[in-house]
Each structure stands twice: as C-alpha cells, then as structure tokens.
Amino acid sequence: MTVRMTPLELMTKLISFPTVSRDTNLPLVDWVEGYLADHGIVAHRYVDPDQPKAALFAHVGPEVEGAVVLSGHTDVVPVDGQPWESDPYVVTERDGKYFGRGTCDMKGFDALAIWALVEAHVAGVRTPLQLALSFDEEIGCLGAPPMIEAMQGVVPKGGPVIVGEPSMMKAVTGHKGGQGFATHVVGFEVHSSLLPLGVSAILEGAKVIDFANARNAENMAATPSALAAMFDPPFTTWHVGQIKGGTAHNITAKSCAFSMDFRAVPGDDVVALKEAYLAHVAHIEKGMQAIHPDTRIEVDARFNVPPLTPEEDGSAEALARAITGDNGTHVVSYGTEAGQFQAAGYSAVVCGPGDIAQAHQPNEFISVAQFEAGHAFMRDLVARLK
C-alpha cells in the first residue's frame, strides 16, 4: 500500500521545489501528478504554450457537477537579497513556526489541499472534491484563467471554490480587482537647448503619470459607496511603481517606460477605468505627434485581475463559515484568483491558513497553530463530503 504523506511532509516536499515565477514549476507538477497517481487519482494539466510551466487539476468522487474546489498557486516570489536565517527551500521549525519560502503563500495550503484530495478519494466521498493548482499568480494571476478554461469539460463543473490565500482561516468575501498597463513613451531626441524641437519621452510620460495623481485625488474626495466603504482605502487607487528612461542630462529623452496599475473596488466599472486611461494616453500622444510624427505611446496590458464581489447566499462563503465558525465581515485590498473563478461562474471565497503579513518576507513562516487550523479545516471538509 502506498503511504499517504502527512500535511507537513507534503508541505516540506513542495517547499523543496524552488518554483519562483521566473522559473519552471514542472518538477513540482510532475511530482504532484505522480503522487496522486500512486493513490489512484488521475490529474490533468494545462501546459503553457510559451514557457515551461503547467497548471494541474484533479477530481475525486462521483462524476457530477458541484464539487468543492480547493484552489492554490504553485509559484513563489524570489528570495534574492533577503536575509534568511535558514535555507528558504527547507522547512525549518522553530519557536512554534514553520519557516520556508511559500509556507504561508501558499504551499502550506497546497499541501493541505493535496492531503484532503487523497483522503476524500480513499474515503469514497458522496460529494466530489477538486484540486486546482495554478502558476504565475505572483506576476498578475496570469495562470488561473487558462487553467479554469481547461477544466471545463475535462472535469465536471465545480461549485464552491475555496482559494487558500493566507487569511488566518477567516472567510474573505471581497477583494479589489486590478489591471496593469506596460506603457512605453517614445520621444524624439534633440539637444536639450533645442527643447521645443524635440519631444521628451520623460516629460510627456510625466503628463501620462499625472493621470494617477488626478484620479487618486478625485477618488479620495468622493463619498464611497457602501460596498467600497468596506475597503481600506475605500476607493480605487492608481499607481506607478517603477520608471526608467532617458539617455543623458542634456538630451531630450527618447524613451520612458513604466507600468500604470490600478486596484479597483468592487462595483467600479473596470472597462471604463481602462478606457479613461487609454483616452488620456491618446490625448498626450496627439500633442507629441503634432511636434514630430515619429513619436508615440505604446500600451500593453500586463495583467487583469477581476475583483471578488461579496455574494448573496454564496455557497463558498456558507461552506467556509460553517467549517470555521467565522461570522465576521472580511475584505482585502489585494487581488487573488478568487475573482477569476467568480467571473467564470463559480461561487468563491478566500480562506486559508497563515497571515498575509508574512507573504514575500525574508524568513517567511506559517505558525504551527495556523497550519494545524488548516488541517482541522480539511478534516472537517472531508467529513462533510462523505
């Protein structure tokens, strides 16, 4: 008989794979697929056509719709330059905590979900259970949409989705959405003493970036809706985190590149937000081209994460609350794959072990108590499916 690994053993194995988003996750996917196969579970892949990465999903129980879906991501953020006190890819226990890259975000939950899937299969549950493990979540939730699409028709359509991002085992029912636009301003170079004859990509880029300042001031001054008031801050925010460009101090810049991102509260029209930014870009570009026709502004979408909107009588929320006993109202300002499942017609909630404050940090950890709380959640879930 093939030995069933404990949640801690599973987490330790998953952590050992350095699945930083810039690198492949295939060794981890290979191992999980093999482990499930050893226990008689058939797993399916969505393989990215452009890079050596894959998502993995599986179904156990009756071949009927309405499965509970346990969703996590396999990628982690880099450890480069962080002052770790132990090997980030080896789970180390000390002071009531499990240290390692991904223990909190979110291989701890992945391990618990794999454990629950095997236990549900062995128990012969009446209500099915599914596992969905994505990639590239950390660079914009890019891997979940094609995975969700690939699941349709290969496994029966699931019902409630529990996305196990760290929430201290609280039921998070809403989060902001986000979009990012890689923006490249192409100017025309002249000596800076002849400034009116040239087009400075940096100065024109500053005009584009000022869109964020204007929108943030406008949104901050407005009275938030009841839904927006649940969030902190209670409005949609625009942000530019990095900028690069220019050749020398005495040359009008040929190039200026940055990413314009927004985080939208549920209820805001994200299509209208995008169109407003593109209209502003087009206005600035028109002024540039009036000076020199070879100038332009290129905008490419980097990511698009829909918000998670609180559901009325949502089955995922009801399930998470029934198991955890949590009756509080919880929303967060970061995005997750829950909004993508919801947009695809699933009921979704965020509920997982660990504190989001530990995510991406040096010496990332999940407390032993939180990991055990996650284990208790999965034991209860499997019992309810029997």
Side-chain angles (χ1 to χ4, degrees):
M1 179 181 295
T2 302
V3 175
R4 304 204 298 273
M5 297 172 70
T6 67
L8 179 57
E9 289 170 336
L10 287 165
M11 179 172 69
T12 299
K13 186 64 179 180
L14 297 181
I15 296 293
S16 71
F17 296 102
T19 51
V20 176
S21 298
R22 66 189 175 215
D23 301 321
T24 183
N25 73 334
L26 292 183
L28 181 150
V29 170
D30 291 342
W31 184 85
V32 174
E33 185 175 37
Y35 179 74
L36 295 180
D38 288 343
H39 293 281
I41 300 172
V42 176
H44 309 272
R45 294 189 185 201
Y46 165 77
V47 179
D48 189 282
D50 300 318
Q51 56 183 342
K53 296 180 182 180
L56 191 77
F57 54 93
H59 175 105
V60 301
E63 292 290 318
V64 297
E65 295 187 352
V68 175
V69 184
L70 301 176
S71 169
H73 60 82
T74 61
D75 58 318
V76 296
V77 298
V79 299
D80 306 11
Q82 292 187 333
W84 283 75
E85 296 177 11
S86 57
D87 188 332
Y89 299 112
V90 175
V91 173
T92 303
E93 181 180 359
R94 62 179 185 272
D95 302 323
K97 303 168 184 175
Y98 294 126
F99 292 85
R101 173 57 87 223
T103 49
C104 177
D105 184 20
M106 60 179 300
K107 290 180 177 178
F109 177 84
D110 292 346
L112 292 165
I114 294 167
W115 178 88
L117 191 77
V118 172
E119 293 301 310
H121 179 64
V122 172
V125 291
R126 297 179 187 178
T127 301
L129 183 67
Q130 293 180 358
L131 173 72
L133 299 178
S134 71
F135 60 91
D136 281 357
E137 190 273 348
E138 295 291 5
I139 54 176
C141 295
L142 302 180
M147 176 189 70
I148 295 168
E149 183 178 355
M151 292 169 69
Q152 310 311 309
V154 176
V155 294
K157 180 66 176 286
V161 179
I162 298 172
V163 176
E165 293 283 359
S167 71
M168 297 295 287
M169 298 310 301
K170 303 296 184 183
V172 172
T173 58
H175 65 61
K176 291 187 177 183
Q179 291 191 31
F181 307 99
T183 305
H184 182 206
V185 183
V186 180
F188 180 70
E189 291 177 306
V190 297
H191 192 280
S192 59
S193 64
L194 302 174
L195 183 69
L197 302 179
V199 178
S200 169
I202 290 178
L203 293 180
E204 299 301 321
K207 296 176 185 177
V208 175
I209 291 172
D210 198 45
F211 176 87
N213 292 323
R215 276 304 178 99
N216 286 337
E218 177 184 326
N219 293 343
M220 192 178 301
T223 301
S225 67
L227 185 56
M230 300 170 63
F231 291 84
D232 183 17
F235 51 85
T236 294
T237 57
W238 292 80
H239 174 68
V240 173
Q242 291 182 305
I243 185 171
K244 61 181 179 180
T247 303
H249 75 92
N250 59 352
I251 302 174
T252 57
K254 174 73 172 179
S255 174
C256 179
F258 53 88
S259 180
M260 176 70 77
D261 305 339
F262 69 75
R263 293 182 181 271
V265 293
D268 271 12
D269 186 341
V270 294
V271 174
L273 294 174
K274 175 181 177 179
E275 290 177 348
Y277 178 61
L278 294 180
H280 178 72
V281 167
H283 172 71
I284 301 301
E285 183 182 60
K286 184 178 179 179
M288 293 167 55
Q289 292 180 343
I291 300 173
H292 198 285
D294 292 340
T295 60
R296 65 190 182 277
I297 303 178
E298 302 164 348
V299 178
D300 294 312
R302 292 195 308 116
F303 63 87
N304 181 5
V305 182
L308 175 65
T309 303
E311 302 168 3
E312 186 173 349
D313 299 322
S315 60
E317 176 185 352
L319 177 61
R321 292 192 187 284
I323 296 176
T324 63
D326 172 37
N327 291 315
T329 299
H330 310 286
V331 298
V332 294
S333 290
Y334 56 83
T336 79
E337 295 171 339
Q340 294 170 323
F341 274 99
Q342 188 180 68
Y346 294 79
S347 174
V349 69
V350 176
C351 186
D355 187 342
I356 192 64
Q358 297 304 320
H360 306 178
Q361 297 298 306
N363 298 312
E364 177 184 347
F365 69 84
I366 186 171
S367 71
V368 173
Q370 273 292 297
F371 192 65
E372 289 303 319
H375 191 189
F377 180 99
M378 294 301 179
R379 288 196 299 267
D380 192 316
L381 173 62
V382 172
R384 288 170 184 267
L385 302 179
K386 292 182 180 179

